[in-house]
Amino acid sequence: MTNDMIELKTAPADFRFPTTNQTRHCFTRYIEFHRCLAAKGEESNECERFAKYYRSLCPGDWIEKWNEQRENGTFPGPL
């Protein structure tokens, strides 16, 4: 048995979202990730931090729904 430690982190505190309800924080991080991909390209590793943030904040069902909406051109946010 090895003693490899896995470090788990969530998104850092963001002054734009001071309350405990993180819905808006989740949505904003999702949008930031996809804007980053659009600007830097799919191959860029620079966007990975945004992916980690939204994945740690957003419920999986929301992410699946938003991904489907993006594919169908019906996503409600500004990408």
Side-chain angles (χ1 to χ4, degrees):
M1 178 177 226
T2 64
N3 287 335
D4 294 336
M5 299 281 282
I6 297 174
E7 184 177 356
L8 301 176
K9 291 185 178 181
T10 189
D14 190 321
F15 70 92
R16 296 174 293 178
F17 311 102
T19 64
T20 56
N21 183 344
Q22 295 295 302
T23 302
R24 190 158 187 77
H25 191 181
C26 152
F27 188 70
T28 299
R29 293 299 189 173
Y30 181 85
I31 289 172
E32 287 174 338
F33 170 70
H34 289 286
R35 284 183 176 170
C36 181
L37 286 182
K40 310 262 186 206
E42 296 278 335
E43 303 300 319
S44 175
N45 290 331
E46 294 179 46
C47 304
E48 192 56 33
R49 66 186 172 125
F50 294 117
K52 288 179 183 177
Y53 297 165
Y54 87 75
R55 289 178 186 141
S56 71
L57 291 165
C58 302
D61 290 345
W62 293 6
I63 295 169
E64 288 177 26
K65 180 178 179 181
W66 293 339
N67 287 340
E68 287 176 16
Q69 289 174 331
R70 281 187 318 98
E71 290 170 10
N72 296 330
T74 59
F75 183 73
L79 297 175

